[in-house]
């Protein structure tokens, strides 16, 4: 038993060849370049602040989504723009943290983004239930009236297809928070 334990300890103490632990020693051609997403962490922080400032503006659409094709388009465009920016922010923070999982500061950025995602989901949880309150024919007429809504046709078709599985605004807030925090199904 002592010989087996010694062999295991000896094997564990050997240096691992082929996997460099110090990122600075890895050639750049084998590393991702986060500057392609945001040039610096400071630029990332400014972009995050802008997103946080923009998020409350989604309230301007509440209760008005199906009042006109233009209003629906404005809301979907706004939500899409914020969603794209959120994803960029999250990917940057996550990849920055993955570069060195020992860096607690970078891990904190990822956790901040998870919280922001939960806030974002809660803030926009009214959108799908509100669209679904409208008659499908009304949304179809909006699609005919406003050609720019065409980019959302598949989303709207899918939304009505899964209507039976979409909850109320309060239920959607819970689902969105669970999805972002990883506590969902």
């Amino acid at each position: 038993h002592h010989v087996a334990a010694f062999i295991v300890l000896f094997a564990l103490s050997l240096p691992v060849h082929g996997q460099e632990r110090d990122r600075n020693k890895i050639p750049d051609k084998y590393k991702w370049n986060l500057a392609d997403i945001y040039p610096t962490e400071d630029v990332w922080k400014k972009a995050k602040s802008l997103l946080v400032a923009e998020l409350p503006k989604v309230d301007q659409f509440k209760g008005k989504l199906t009042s006109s094709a233009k209003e629906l388009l404005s809301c979907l465009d706004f939500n899409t723009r914020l969603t794209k920016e959120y994803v960029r922010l999250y990917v940057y923070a996550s990849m920055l943290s993955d570069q060195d999982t020992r860096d607690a500061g970078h891990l904190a950025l990822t956790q901040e983004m998870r919280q922001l995602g939960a806030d974002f989901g809660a803030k926009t949880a009214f959108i799908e239930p509100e669209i679904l309150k409208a008659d499908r024919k009304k949304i179809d007429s909006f699609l005919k009236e406003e050609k720019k809504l065409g980019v959302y046709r598949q989303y709207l078709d899918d939304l009505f297809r899964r209507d039976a599985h979409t909850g109320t605004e309060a239920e959607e807030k819970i689902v969105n928070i669970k999805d972002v925090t990883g506590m969902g199904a």
Side-chain angles (χ1 to χ4, degrees), residues 47-119:
K48 179 181 172 261
S49 294
L50 288 173
L51 178 66
V52 168
E54 285 279 295
L55 190 53
K57 295 178 183 176
V58 74
D59 290 340
Q60 69 184 316
F61 301 106
K62 202 169 192 175
K64 302 176 192 173
L65 278 180
T66 58
S67 63
S68 71
K70 183 180 177 183
E71 199 68 33
L72 179 59
L73 176 63
S74 293
C75 180
L76 294 177
D77 282 349
F78 180 83
N79 189 49
T80 298
R81 182 174 59 80
L82 263 57
T83 299
K84 285 179 182 179
E85 189 61 26
Y86 170 78
V87 169
R88 286 183 68 213
L89 288 162
Y90 185 88
V91 166
Y92 180 89
S94 179
M95 292 177 80
L96 188 63
S97 178
D98 288 345
Q99 285 180 164
D100 185 353
T101 56
R102 299 166 296 181
D103 188 321
H106 292 162
L107 178 59
L109 297 181
T110 303
Q111 291 168 340
E112 285 177 33
M113 291 311 301
R114 285 192 183 121
Q115 181 58 53
L116 179 56
D119 296 345

Side-chain angles (χ1 to χ4, degrees), residues 55 58-59 62 115-127 169-170 172-178 180:
L55 190 53
V58 74
D59 290 340
K62 202 169 192 175
Q115 181 58 53
L116 179 56
D119 296 345
F120 185 42
K123 201 77 166 143
T124 59
F126 73 92
I127 294 174
E169 178 183 344
E172 289 301 308
K173 280 183 184 179
I174 293 168
V175 169
N176 285 326
I177 289 169
K178 285 183 176 180
V180 170

